[in-house]
Amino acid sequence: MSGKTACFTIAGLTMLGTISQTAAGGQAVECYEPVRSPAVYDTVYEDVMISPPGQQVDYIPPIYGTRERVVMTVPAQVTYQIVPAVTRTVYSMVRVDGGGYSWEWRAIHGRKVLCKVWHKTRYERVAKTVVIQPERTRRVVIPAQYDSIAEEVLVQPEQRRIIDVPASYQTVARRVLVREGSSGWRRVHIPRHCQD
């Protein structure tokens, strides 16, 4: 009884066409069952480049400061001045008339008479300018003028540094097809005693 059940189970795997033939009273000569092999996949890991290699410029701007220094704003100058002479007024008595006798016409008692007249010596006070120090030229030096100014000076020049940046990679997983699925037929062997 159990052997018959096993036969029926095996026979159930045969093609539908053969079932209809068997049901009609024919005897199965060969039997096949559909067979499908699933596709086979595998996971592979590979490094993928995210960014290519390159260069990066590191820039540091210049640094400036303020410095005070003294500069000449007006240079020294030399000029010449005329110093006038120094004078003084000196007074002295000068004889302007030596005196003595002279003849003069005079009118005496209505008559014109020539008379000998005595004149005494006459002096006058005369002013005279005396040069004590003559006129001269004096050299005058005007000193230079200086001012303090603030100026911008470079403390540190700009700096540029080139840095090599390597490529960056990332490991990613990817499913790949190892073997494609297939479908076909497989022959089924049915024992002879199951066909009865």
Side-chain angles (χ1 to χ4, degrees):
M1 187 73 177
S2 60
K4 283 287 184 180
T5 303
C7 290
F8 286 133
T9 303
I10 296 173
L13 298 175
T14 58
M15 296 174 49
L16 293 176
T18 58
I19 291 175
S20 61
Q21 290 179 359
T22 304
Q27 184 179 358
V29 180
E30 290 183 357
C31 298
Y32 295 89
E33 64 176 342
V35 178
R36 178 166 181 81
S37 299
V40 178
Y41 292 90
D42 194 8
T43 301
V44 295
Y45 298 90
E46 59 183 359
D47 292 334
V48 177
M49 181 187 296
I50 298 176
S51 61
Q55 290 182 333
Q56 177 181 346
V57 178
D58 190 9
Y59 173 73
I60 300 176
I63 299 175
Y64 292 92
T66 303
R67 179 180 65 185
E68 285 193 359
R69 66 186 184 99
V70 177
V71 296
M72 180 189 299
T73 54
V74 179
Q77 298 177 354
V78 178
T79 61
Y80 295 90
Q81 295 178 349
I82 297 176
V83 180
V86 178
T87 61
R88 186 174 64 185
T89 303
V90 178
Y91 295 91
S92 61
M93 297 300 292
V94 178
R95 188 176 68 176
V96 294
D97 190 354
Y101 296 97
S102 66
W103 294 93
E104 295 180 1
W105 291 97
R106 291 187 178 184
I108 298 175
H109 303 297
R111 294 168 54 188
K112 186 178 180 181
V113 179
L114 185 60
C115 300
K116 188 178 182 179
V117 180
W118 167 255
H119 300 280
K120 61 180 181 178
T121 304
R122 187 164 53 91
Y123 293 90
E124 288 184 3
R125 189 171 180 237
V126 178
K128 182 180 180 182
T129 301
V130 179
V131 177
I132 297 174
Q133 185 175 343
E135 179 182 278
R136 61 189 177 90
T137 302
R138 182 177 64 179
R139 183 174 181 265
V140 179
V141 178
I142 301 174
Q145 296 181 10
Y146 296 88
D147 285 326
S148 178
I149 63 171
E151 62 181 359
E152 188 178 55
V153 294
L154 180 64
V155 177
Q156 178 179 310
E158 68 174 25
Q159 297 180 1
R160 295 177 184 267
R161 184 175 57 183
I162 298 178
I163 303 172
D164 291 327
V165 180
S168 59
Y169 295 87
Q170 183 178 1
T171 302
V172 296
R174 183 167 61 92
R175 285 181 59 82
V176 294
L177 179 66
V178 177
R179 187 176 65 241
E180 293 184 356
S182 61
S183 60
W185 297 94
R186 182 175 61 185
R187 185 173 183 178
V188 178
H189 176 71
I190 301 176
R192 181 175 296 273
H193 65 273
C194 293
Q195 298 180 13
D196 296 336

